[in-house]
Amino acid sequence: MQADVSKTAAPGSDGMLLASLAMLGSQVSLNIGAAVGKHLFPVIGVEGVTAFRVGFSALFLLAVFRPWRYALTRRDALNLLVYGTVIGVMNLLIYHAFSRIPIGIAVAIEVTGPLLLALLASRRLRDVAACALAVFGLWLLLPLHTGAGRLDPVGVACAFGAAACWALYIVFGKRASSLRGGQAVAWGMLMASVFIVPLGVISVDPAQLTPALVATGVAIAVLSSAVPYSLEMLALRGLPQGLYGMFSSSAPAVSALAGLLILGEHLSAVQWSAIACIVLASAICAVSARG
């Protein structure tokens, strides 16, 4: 049964502040890791980088949280199975998007998943306006009109697939967030690695795995998965679903800045305007859902 956010007791101010800081730290860590990971795509491919990210994250989280110490109910196990599968597919799709289109644009498309979820949670007139604003932002962003920058259609499709996964991640992450400590994210990452790591093993030449490359892979795993997913689980526990969506709305702007500063991905004025529209739409809708 989906978590009923409207019936969840509002967390205290201290808990809300801690959860908000956790979301901020998650965004910064995630985007730095993604920008670093993009540098490795030409060397070991998208599947290889994703396998590093998910595989090392699973090992790290299992070692830290030791989730086997606590028994799981059948319902918890089912939620974790879906949660872990969504994590794996989301990682793979968004990295394929990153390999073909700028990070900021990919995340602007991806954040429409949480936006849609927030819209479904709060049906008000301003939500309709927010949806229209997001659609306008996507129209500016995608090559649907004269003057729009050319984007790889496969990259765009992967970003939309990641958006659907992000919405499912919020729903099933909320369901699993009642588990002890980092139990949920540790089991979820392990389940994701079950099918992601074999894909990486098949696609990577062992001769390429130098100590420096492996060390970079470990850093990507810590920055892109282990730290942000743990912080997001804390945030999901302390924030209503709508407010979580509001914080998630900053992701495109943070990603675009990371792409600019780390990768030198310069966006046009129209693309920045499109990202701003999507960020504003997500924030408006999430504030409405919180109310």
Side-chain angles (χ1 to χ4, degrees):
M1 207 176 155
Q2 183 173 342
D4 188 348
V5 178
S6 64
K7 296 181 181 179
T8 301
S13 57
D14 290 343
M16 189 78 77
L17 176 60
L18 180 61
S20 301
L21 291 175
M23 274 301 298
L24 177 61
S26 172
Q27 290 287 342
V28 173
S29 179
L30 179 66
N31 285 289
I32 292 176
V36 173
K38 188 165 182 174
H39 283 296
L40 293 186
F41 289 162
V43 182
I44 58 174
V46 172
E47 285 77 12
V49 175
T50 309
F52 266 122
R53 174 179 178 174
V54 173
F56 280 120
S57 293
L59 292 176
F60 174 79
L61 293 168
L62 288 172
V64 171
F65 295 114
R66 295 177 290 170
W68 54 84
R69 294 177 297 167
Y70 310 107
L72 293 174
T73 66
R74 184 174 181 179
R75 181 181 179 184
D76 288 336
L78 181 60
N79 285 335
L80 287 172
L81 176 61
V82 180
Y83 175 65
T85 301
V86 167
I87 288 176
V89 175
M90 180 171 63
N91 275 277
L92 190 61
L93 286 175
I94 197 59
Y95 268 16
H96 270 292
F98 287 168
S99 70
R100 296 171 178 270
I101 60 179
I103 286 179
I105 293 177
V107 176
I109 296 172
E110 187 189 26
V111 83
T112 58
L115 172 59
L116 177 61
L117 197 62
L119 282 168
L120 293 175
S122 179
R123 302 177 185 89
R124 299 180 181 179
L125 181 59
R126 61 180 173 183
D127 298 333
V128 177
C131 183
L133 183 60
V135 171
F136 176 67
L138 287 173
W139 180 77
L140 288 177
L141 198 61
L142 302 179
L144 303 176
H145 63 97
T146 304
R150 177 172 174 77
L151 295 174
D152 187 293
V154 175
V156 171
C158 287
F160 275 115
C165 288
W166 196 351
L168 291 173
Y169 164 78
I170 295 173
V171 172
F172 286 93
K174 190 73 176 178
R175 294 183 188 182
S177 64
S178 60
L179 297 176
R180 294 171 181 259
Q183 187 182 17
V185 71
W187 281 130
M189 196 63 70
L190 177 63
M191 292 176 183
S193 67
V194 167
F195 69 94
I196 292 294
V197 171
L199 287 176
V201 171
I202 293 172
S203 63
V204 176
D205 181 358
Q208 296 175 307
L209 301 180
T210 63
L213 190 145
V214 172
T216 304
V218 172
I220 291 171
V222 172
L223 289 169
S224 298
S225 292
V227 170
Y229 282 127
S230 297
L231 290 175
E232 283 191 13
M233 189 56 62
L234 176 63
L236 282 166
R237 212 181 274 123
L239 294 175
Q241 190 165 290
L243 188 54
Y244 174 91
M246 184 185 72
F247 279 105
S248 298
S249 68
S250 66
V254 177
S255 297
L257 287 173
L260 174 64
L261 297 176
I262 300 176
L263 298 172
E265 293 180 343
H266 295 273
L267 303 181
S268 68
V270 172
Q271 289 171 331
W272 277 109
S273 298
I275 290 174
C277 287
I278 294 171
V279 167
L280 181 58
S282 299
I284 291 172
C285 184
V287 168
S288 179
R290 179 186 63 179

